[in-house]
Amino acid sequence: MDIATLKAFKPAEFEEAADGYRATSEMASTVKDTIENRLVPSLRNQLDGKAMQAAVDELKELGKDFHYVQTECALASTALNAFAYDMAAAKRKLEAALEDAKAAGCTVGADGSVSFPAGGDKVDGKVPEGGTVSASTSSTDATANAIEQQAIHQHPNPNFGKAIGFANRIGDALQEATEADAKWAPKLRALKADDDLKVSDRDWADVKSDQDGVGAAGKKYLDSLPHPPKDGAPKDNAAWWKGLTDEQQAAYVSLRPDSVGAMDGLPATVRDEANRIVLDETRGRYQLEFDRIPKPPKNEWTTISELGWSSRVHTDEWTRWHEKYGERYEHLDKALQGMDDIQSRFDRTGERGLPQAYLLGFSGDADGRAIVANGNPDTADHQAVYVPGTTSDLGSIDGNINRMVELWNRADNEADGKTVSTITWLGYDAPDEVAKDATHDSYAYGGAPAFNKFLDGLEVSHTGDTPPHRTVIGHSYGSSVIGAAAQTGTLNADDVVFAGSPGVLVSGADEMDVPKGHVWNEEGGSDPVPELGRYYLGGDGDIIPSDKDFGANQMATNTHGHGGYWDPGSKSLLNQALVVVGRGDDAELKPSYGTFGPPGSWDRVK
């Protein structure tokens, strides 16, 4: 890098190119949304048969391609802005040094050398002559710097020291520009796909690598932007986001999608965009890693006999495989299944009028996290947030997503034209096993702060003319999370529904932080969990929401077992839907039983 090149460099040209890439990214996003939320649903509603399915499959693949274009173009835009930022900083340093040198009567050569005029006190009757100096080659060498400073102090011409300073500043600016150019050239060249027409797992895994590379190279640029609030409340997060320019918002989404996607208070559309990037990147990386692991041996079991007894045990071959690969293999397998299930929900948009899905939270780490909304909660009149219970993880997310799909279908029918959004909130570490883990309240208290923050975020990001009506629904141990949230913070909800609850860590409905009469409970026939909660999990005699003394409205059910509360067409589902749309008074309630048996009335249990 020389002076002429850096002087001629125009950051605006690269910023304009960045704007062009960002515009392309936005166009790709629009096309993707059109395909997924308009074209595919339209085809499903108008056609059927193999030809329709083939067309839908092709369109879905095309939508994924546009998502890749959207992501990579946004990353290219950020990289170009960051490169322009680095080069502009170097150019400003050069221009300032040149201007200062000129003002001091010095002349700068094309090679960066600085000529200084005669000056200083006369020596032997003569004014010390001028000369020419160049930038030090070892500005970071302490010994060289010390020698240079000694020479400056000893030189009879004060302009000598000034010239050395100008030359070093010019040299530093040129070095900074050279390093920026060398740093960014390979990063920008890497932002391209392979030459086939399929966006593969490898391509998405490379996106993550590209993000890491651009993020590391662009640290100075990102540091120059307004920083998000540390552990910010939803209102603080929202204010920070609104204060960013379009360019700055795009930079954060492209470089920090995991952080943006997790920020409560940001618009659902923004979180969805960021989390879908993380989802596709994670799926690509996980699939590549999964494919590299040897598959488990087919001969998993063998039989051994000893003293006349036969036992079925794992083979030595399988045991060796499992010790080396088993834990990671199972994690990847479950996570990939969960990600496919989330994608399947995206692909179902339009079925039976099902609205667009929004991914409001996602992580593939450990047991995984997933927050999936049916319909945009920011514009919905009614919101329902469902917290699943024990054994819930990313690998089993499909069932929990489907429960909220069924609730949306039923609530939408009962909403009198109002809009509804139902949300599956797996934003906490659920107990893995009933006997070993569900007896501990640490999982509930551990998840409560995140749940309260999420609810507050829904309040902040809502854009309707009036606040939404919000219902929280806890199934099994999920009800304990809601109880812990009410006990330790402010539960930002209008109604609470418990289903199959083993206990909620509070002793009565009046402690649930919602208006009186707005706590509802369902206990299905043959559901053992409430009894376990009453007599085993929390101690004999503990009050649970199914008990009359708890004070919840006991809604009628016609489902059985622990997981049937969302069966299509059931009374259990209808009653939940009525609460969700603010019509709890229309819900059918169980008869009120007194000490000596049923009184024959259907009054609400107070």
Side-chain angles (χ1 to χ4, degrees):
M1 184 68 64
D2 55 33
I3 289 178
T5 302
L6 185 53
K7 284 178 65 178
F9 182 85
K10 297 179 180 179
E13 292 181 349
F14 289 86
E15 292 167 348
E16 289 173 6
D19 290 342
Y21 272 99
R22 190 171 76 249
T24 302
S25 174
E26 291 170 354
M27 286 188 289
S29 176
T30 299
V31 175
K32 172 185 71 71
D33 291 342
T34 299
I35 290 172
E36 293 180 351
N37 302 317
R38 290 176 55 190
L39 294 183
V40 170
S42 178
L43 274 177
R44 283 202 181 106
N45 292 333
Q46 297 181 34
L47 304 172
D48 56 22
K50 293 183 178 179
M52 182 277 293
Q53 190 57 50
V56 166
D57 290 343
E58 289 292 330
L59 283 172
K60 288 193 294 187
E61 289 302 315
L62 185 60
K64 294 175 184 177
D65 293 346
F66 275 107
H67 187 215
Y68 178 77
V69 172
Q70 171 194 351
T71 303
E72 282 287 79
C73 284
L75 196 55
S77 173
T78 299
L80 287 167
N81 276 322
F83 171 63
Y85 176 86
D86 286 351
M87 293 295 289
K91 183 175 181 176
R92 287 193 299 271
K93 289 181 180 179
L94 174 65
E95 290 173 341
L98 293 176
E99 188 173 335
D100 290 347
K102 182 179 179 181
C106 296
T107 303
V108 178
D111 61 352
S113 61
V114 178
S115 298
F116 58 95
D121 297 332
K122 291 181 179 181
V123 178
D124 297 331
K126 295 182 180 181
V127 175
E129 296 180 353
T132 301
V133 297
S134 298
S136 301
T137 57
S138 302
S139 61
T140 59
D141 188 314
T143 302
N145 285 336
I147 294 173
E148 181 179 82
Q149 289 301 312
Q150 185 178 15
I152 291 172
H153 289 307
Q154 292 178 349
H155 201 285
N157 188 341
N159 293 321
F160 171 79
K162 295 179 182 178
I164 287 287
F166 298 142
N168 285 343
R169 287 169 60 189
I170 292 169
D172 289 345
L174 293 176
Q175 179 65 25
E176 189 173 316
T178 300
E179 292 175 353
D181 186 57
K183 174 179 68 175
W184 281 109
K187 297 292 186 285
L188 290 167
R189 282 196 296 268
L191 297 178
K192 63 179 182 180
D194 47 34
D195 57 2
D196 59 29
L197 296 177
K198 179 178 176 57
V199 178
S200 63
D201 294 322
R202 170 67 63 187
D203 291 326
W204 275 110
D206 287 344
V207 169
K208 175 59 176 172
S209 178
D210 292 341
Q211 277 180 348
D212 292 343
V214 173
K219 186 177 185 304
K220 289 183 179 178
Y221 170 67
L222 201 61
D223 286 345
S224 74
L225 306 182
H227 289 196
K230 183 176 175 59
D231 300 323
K235 286 185 177 180
D236 298 328
N237 294 339
W240 165 76
W241 183 258
K242 290 177 181 178
L244 299 178
T245 65
D246 291 344
E247 172 193 316
Q248 292 167 344
Q249 290 179 351
Y252 271 104
V253 172
S254 64
L255 292 181
R256 301 287 186 269
D258 51 345
S259 298
V260 172
M263 293 185 75
D264 296 308
L266 268 58
T269 52
V270 173
R271 298 183 69 175
D272 177 63
E273 177 185 349
N275 284 312
R276 290 202 192 203
I277 293 172
V278 179
L279 173 71
D280 283 341
E281 287 173 350
T282 304
R283 182 164 45 191
R285 291 186 294 110
Y286 276 26
Q287 189 65 60
L288 290 178
E289 183 183 355
F290 185 75
D291 291 343
R292 288 194 298 266
I293 296 177
K295 297 299 180 284
K298 293 182 179 179
N299 56 329
E300 179 179 352
W301 298 98
T302 188
T303 302
I304 60 173
S305 298
E306 187 174 351
L307 300 177
W309 295 93
S310 295
S311 301
R312 190 166 179 258
V313 297
H314 287 296
T315 63
D316 291 342
E317 180 185 8
W318 187 92
T319 300
R320 286 192 297 270
W321 174 89
H322 193 267
E323 288 176 350
K324 188 172 183 179
Y325 304 110
E327 184 175 345
R328 185 61 178 170
Y329 183 92
E330 291 168 4
H331 169 75
L332 294 172
D333 191 29
K334 291 179 65 177
L336 286 166
Q337 180 59 57
M339 286 183 266
D340 286 344
D341 291 335
I342 293 172
Q343 182 62 51
S344 294
R345 169 57 191 91
F346 296 157
D347 295 341
R348 291 170 61 189
T349 293
E351 288 184 1
R352 295 189 296 165
L354 192 62
Q356 178 180 345
Y358 294 81
L359 188 59
L360 305 181
F362 175 79
S363 171
D365 297 338
D367 284 345
R369 300 286 188 270
I371 306 173
V372 182
N374 302 295
N376 189 343
D378 291 349
T379 59
D381 299 302
H382 301 285
Q383 302 169 342
V385 185
Y386 159 75
V387 185
T390 302
T391 74
S392 295
D393 56 22
L394 183 57
S396 61
I397 195 65
D398 186 47
N400 289 314
I401 290 176
N402 286 335
R403 287 173 177 173
M404 288 303 97
V405 167
E406 295 300 337
L407 182 59
W408 184 90
N409 283 324
R410 195 60 200 253
D412 182 64
N413 288 336
E414 306 295 335
D416 296 328
K418 300 289 186 179
T419 53
V420 178
S421 176
T422 58
I423 304 168
T424 298
W425 188 83
L426 181 57
Y428 80 113
D429 181 23
D432 293 327
E433 299 178 19
V434 173
K436 180 171 70 73
D437 302 312
T439 56
H440 302 290
D441 59 17
S442 58
Y443 295 90
Y445 287 117
F451 185 63
N452 277 332
K453 198 171 181 181
F454 179 75
L455 297 180
D456 290 343
L458 291 179
E459 188 79 16
V460 170
S461 63
H462 194 263
T463 59
D465 294 333
T466 58
H469 168 254
R470 186 175 302 113
T471 303
V472 295
I473 303 168
H475 178 230
S476 192
Y477 194 91
S479 66
S480 302
V481 176
I482 294 175
Q487 186 187 71
T488 59
T490 300
L491 191 68
N492 200 334
D494 302 292
D495 283 277
V496 174
V497 175
F498 298 128
S501 174
V504 297
L505 305 177
V506 299
S507 58
D510 58 345
E511 299 178 39
M512 285 308 304
D513 199 23
V514 293
K516 183 176 181 180
H518 286 262
V519 177
W520 313 79
N521 185 69
E522 290 187 339
E523 179 180 346
S526 69
D527 184 351
V529 171
E531 290 301 310
L532 287 172
R534 181 181 291 112
Y535 294 109
Y536 298 102
L537 301 184
D540 187 26
D542 275 10
I543 294 177
I544 65 171
S546 296
D547 293 334
K548 178 179 179 180
D549 290 343
F550 186 86
N553 302 312
Q554 304 295 330
M555 294 192 293
T557 61
N558 61 346
T559 50
H560 297 275
H562 190 52
Y565 298 98
W566 296 272
D567 287 350
S570 68
K571 184 183 301 183
S572 307
L573 180 62
L574 171 60
N575 284 333
Q576 284 192 43
L578 290 171
V579 173
V580 167
V581 299
R583 295 173 50 198
D585 288 342
D586 294 334
E588 182 179 337
L589 303 177
K590 286 184 176 181
S592 178
Y593 286 80
T595 305
F596 302 103
S601 69
W602 289 79
D603 296 332
R604 178 177 286 109
V605 177
K606 297 295 185 182

